[in-house]
Amino acid sequence: MNKRISIRAAALLLCIPLAACDSSPNPAPKPSPQDLFFDRLGLLCGKAYAGILVSDQKADAEMTGKPMIMHVASCDQKEIQIPFHIAEDGGNWDRSRTWSITRTTEGLRLKHRHRHEDGSLDSVTNYGGNTIGQGTSERQEFPVDAESIASFRANGLDQSVTNIWAVEITPPGQSGAQFAYELRRPESADGRYFRVEFDLSKPVVPPPPPWGD
């Protein structure tokens, strides 16, 4: 009897390492929609694209038909900076705006940096918001955050405290691929709607740096 027990025990010990060898490692987690969105933006790093205003509100009448360029100028694993250039009359360009999209522990953050031509910061700058859901690999929305609400109110921009920004990017390389930037306010505010779209099929020569860089 003792001999049989010893044989069985030895057999069990032999099975333990075999079982360990057969175990497969846990598969890598699938990237989230926000990971896919951020990585897709990173594919554009260093490139610039022409765009145009596609919304038609009177508040933006001066921008109607004017050339625009977005330049994915700076990228790393945490932050992507996108200067936004708008042509002006006389051949000059407004280079005051930069969009910054950052990874956070809870999602993505969009911020706007505004500078004057001398490089100084505008009184209203570093405003934006954070995602509150996963969104999709093609569209992320950024409701206004508390810091921005306080800044808007301090500068007499109460209508902006309901801002929701959105950024869209369809897969680069596909037919009709585009990047879009959008601002909306609900009808209960003033129904603000601003949207610009950029053609990702035709890179253009990168513009000079934005003011202050």
Side-chain angles (χ1 to χ4, degrees), residues 20-99:
C21 290
D22 289 340
S23 62
S24 300
N26 292 329
K30 291 184 178 180
S32 70
Q34 291 177 342
D35 289 333
L36 294 171
F37 177 89
F38 193 89
D39 291 345
R40 190 175 289 172
L41 276 179
L43 295 175
L44 307 180
C45 200
K47 298 178 181 179
Y49 301 91
I52 197 168
L53 179 74
V54 297
S55 52
D56 60 357
Q57 290 193 331
K58 290 183 179 180
D60 306 311
E62 292 184 358
M63 296 185 187
T64 301
K66 290 189 174 178
M68 300 176 175
I69 294 176
M70 57 84 78
H71 180 203
V72 187
S74 174
C75 312
D76 59 33
Q77 292 300 310
K78 184 177 180 181
E79 182 180 26
I80 295 175
Q81 294 194 23
I82 308 170
F84 172 41
H85 307 259
I86 304 172
E88 296 182 319
D89 296 333
N92 296 320
W93 285 78
D94 181 338
R95 307 190 192 280
S96 63
R97 301 168 176 86
T98 297
W99 303 318

Side-chain angles (χ1 to χ4, degrees), residues 69-174:
I69 294 176
M70 57 84 78
H71 180 203
V72 187
S74 174
C75 312
D76 59 33
Q77 292 300 310
K78 184 177 180 181
E79 182 180 26
I80 295 175
Q81 294 194 23
I82 308 170
F84 172 41
H85 307 259
I86 304 172
E88 296 182 319
D89 296 333
N92 296 320
W93 285 78
D94 181 338
R95 307 190 192 280
S96 63
R97 301 168 176 86
T98 297
W99 303 318
S100 173
I101 298 178
T102 306
R103 291 185 194 264
T104 70
T105 56
E106 298 178 349
L108 297 176
R109 173 177 297 143
L110 170 68
K111 287 288 185 177
H112 303 71
R113 184 173 71 242
H114 279 200
R115 291 184 184 272
H116 298 289
E117 193 166 3
D118 64 3
S120 61
L121 287 171
D122 191 86
S123 58
V124 181
T125 190
N126 199 42
Y127 60 85
N130 300 289
T131 54
I132 57 175
Q134 280 295 311
T136 73
S137 60
E138 295 192 1
R139 180 181 172 91
Q140 293 290 324
E141 295 189 348
F142 306 86
V144 63
D145 59 24
E147 176 188 23
S148 304
I149 290 173
S151 175
F152 289 148
R153 286 181 171 156
N155 286 277
L157 299 173
D158 290 355
Q159 72 276 16
S160 298
V161 301
T162 56
N163 281 3
I164 298 176
W165 296 275
V167 176
E168 295 180 6
I169 178 171
T170 50
Q174 292 189 4

